[in-house]
Amino acid sequence: MREYSHGDEGTPEDAGVARSEVWTGRARNRGQWLLALGGAACMALGIELAVDSAWTSGVAPLAMSVVGCIAAGLLALYGTLAFVHVAVKVHEDFLEVRCGHIGVPRCRIPFSQVAGVDFAPSVTPRHWGGWGYRWRPGKGTAVVVRRGEAVVLRLWDGHTFTITVDDAEAAVRIIRDRLRRAASGAAG
């Protein structure tokens, strides 16, 4: 299966691409690397406290400081490395979203669950309560790694699934084409 990138224009047929191929897109947030450095600094402080402290002023307070620094550092590192970028693939029958360097969390949404798709020209972390994999009651789910354009899937259950991704307009065109073909195949 050949992949084509988000730089291709138009529908797969317009670009001379067969229908069974996969569209891929990505989005990155370089600013979150600063948070990762902060997490690494917290871990380094925790290790420094554990190694260089005399441990004479009391074990419990120092142990709590060490564990707290290391835990905060690990949490910041995981949170930033897991959501510093997102990879989106539009397959024939489903959309796949992978976050971070190891692709976790990962989500597959079959097009049979999608009622429609829209292009959002400006999504910000403020809309969803921050960066990362977000859920808001009554609204839906989002993967927000940066400000900017996004794909908004309208699901049959009334919720949405929003993904910030570069060249979201191309993804929306391709998903609409796949939804039209699925509807015409079901009607025929």
Side-chain angles (χ1 to χ4, degrees):
M1 182 179 300
R2 195 180 110 213
E3 294 183 354
Y4 61 101
S5 70
H6 65 281
D8 294 331
E9 295 297 323
T11 63
E13 292 78 18
D14 295 342
V17 177
R19 290 180 176 184
S20 64
E21 293 177 355
V22 175
W23 179 90
T24 61
R26 293 185 175 274
R28 298 186 193 300
N29 185 342
R30 298 185 198 289
Q32 285 184 311
W33 286 107
L34 293 175
L35 294 173
L37 288 174
C42 282
M43 285 188 53
L45 177 61
I47 293 168
E48 175 73 19
L49 285 172
V51 172
D52 287 342
S53 293
W55 292 86
T56 57
S57 62
V59 174
L62 190 56
M64 289 172 54
S65 297
V66 168
V67 169
C69 286
I70 292 175
L74 285 173
L75 183 62
L77 277 173
Y78 172 75
T80 56
L81 295 178
F83 296 105
V84 77
H85 70 83
V86 64
V88 178
K89 289 186 178 184
V90 178
H91 295 268
E92 184 66 26
D93 299 325
F94 62 92
L95 176 124
E96 180 179 60
V97 179
R98 290 179 179 229
C99 299
H101 295 287
I102 58 174
V104 176
R106 180 176 81 174
C107 177
R108 278 189 178 184
I109 301 172
F111 290 140
S112 62
Q113 296 178 1
V114 178
V117 61
D118 296 310
F119 169 74
S122 179
V123 171
T124 67
R126 180 175 287 183
H127 292 133
W128 288 93
W131 280 300
Y133 198 98
R134 315 302 285 180
W135 175 78
R136 294 196 54 195
K139 186 171 184 180
T141 307
V143 178
V144 181
V145 297
R146 53 116 174 105
R147 296 173 194 225
E149 60 187 290
V151 174
V152 180
L153 299 174
R154 288 179 280 112
L155 305 176
W156 287 111
D157 66 3
H159 292 101
T160 62
F161 192 91
T162 304
I163 312 112
T164 56
V165 64
D166 295 335
D167 201 13
E169 283 184 284
V172 167
R173 285 191 304 267
I174 291 167
I175 293 169
R176 284 180 181 157
D177 179 62
R178 305 255 163 106
L179 292 173
R180 268 193 305 275
R181 279 198 319 248
S184 66

